[in-house]
Amino acid sequence: MEKIAICPGSFDPVTNGHIDIVRRASEMFDAVIVVVMTNFAKQTHFSVKKRMEFLIKATEGMKNVRVDCYDGLLAEYAREHGANIIVKGLRAVSDFEYEFQMALTNNKLNPELETVFLTARSDYMYLSSSIVRQVAELGGDISDFVPECIIDEIVEKFRRRTEK
Ligand code: PNS
């Protein structure tokens, strides 16, 4: 049976840390679906369309990876797509409580669904989408933080915002 994994997130925007997790998941499972979803605790800065576009560019060449979006329950999306594994990156102990709560909720809603945690590479332990946005907004260098193919667009977006 084909093992399909989901990498869900808000990806606002995708970082090198996210891409590292997606790449490692793609080496472990037959297929990986990266799904742009709604996190009710966060306000987003990039549209769903733009976040998907960034992910499609950044995962080009990963043959078993596709990008999608969904604004319902992750447990439901997994059921609809025949996926029973969620892959998430863990950066620090501070991520754990929240991720543990989501993993248990998803398993409660869909008992077929398991969550697998991959530890973030040490290079990306500190990295998050909000750090990328802050550095970009203040004119800093984000080239170590996000895939090269999307740097210019992120810089441009925040340059225009700073000039307003
Ligand atoms: O990158 P994030 O913001 O940490 O990702 C969180 C996300 C989007 C995966 C999570 O909020 C989510 O699964 N949202 C979909 C709605 C859902 O299924 N909620 C119940 C699980 S807690």
Side-chain angles (χ1 to χ4, degrees):
M1 204 179 75
E2 202 186 24
K3 286 254 175 253
I4 304 172
I6 296 176
C7 289
S10 32
F11 303 110
D12 190 37
V14 61
T15 69
N16 284 337
H18 293 130
I19 292 303
D20 183 57
I21 298 293
V22 172
R23 187 189 47 73
R24 287 157 64 195
S26 77
E27 287 162 5
M28 297 167 73
F29 300 103
D30 299 313
V32 173
I33 316 176
V34 185
V35 190
V36 176
M37 304 200 82
T38 307
N39 180 337
F40 286 88
K42 290 180 183 169
Q43 247 197 328
T44 50
H45 299 74
F46 292 90
S47 68
V48 171
K49 187 165 168 259
K50 187 50 75 183
R51 285 180 273 155
M52 285 181 72
E53 210 180 288
F54 284 164
L55 278 160
I56 290 167
K57 277 189 191 174
T59 56
E60 212 184 275
M62 296 186 205
K63 296 271 176 286
N64 59 344
V65 175
R66 66 176 194 272
V67 177
D68 199 0
C69 66
Y70 191 69
D71 67 0
L73 282 172
L74 176 54
E76 208 46 56
Y77 181 91
R79 199 176 277 120
E80 283 171 16
H81 289 78
N84 53 10
I85 301 146
I86 297 171
V87 178
K88 299 239 41 192
L90 267 190
R91 286 166 302 189
V93 182
S94 53
D95 280 348
F96 185 76
E97 200 175 327
Y98 169 65
E99 293 295 346
F100 196 67
Q101 189 182 24
M102 281 200 290
L104 290 174
T105 307
N106 285 323
N107 184 260
K108 182 77 183 166
L109 295 172
N110 175 353
E112 313 257 283
L113 201 48
E114 293 290 350
T115 301
V116 172
F117 293 109
L118 299 181
T119 50
R121 293 263 181 261
S122 54
D123 282 356
Y124 304 131
M125 277 287 182
Y126 64 91
L127 190 54
S128 67
S129 300
S130 69
I131 286 286
V132 170
R133 293 194 306 268
Q134 256 186 61
V135 174
E137 185 120 33
L138 298 170
D141 179 8
I142 57 166
S143 57
D144 282 343
F145 303 159
V146 299
E148 204 184 335
C149 54
I150 67 170
I151 293 173
D152 288 350
E153 268 203 73
I154 296 175
V155 169
E156 179 64 12
K157 178 187 170 86
F158 287 103
R159 189 178 62 79
R160 272 191 274 116
R161 248 167 66 161
T162 319
E163 281 171 3
K164 269 183 200 164

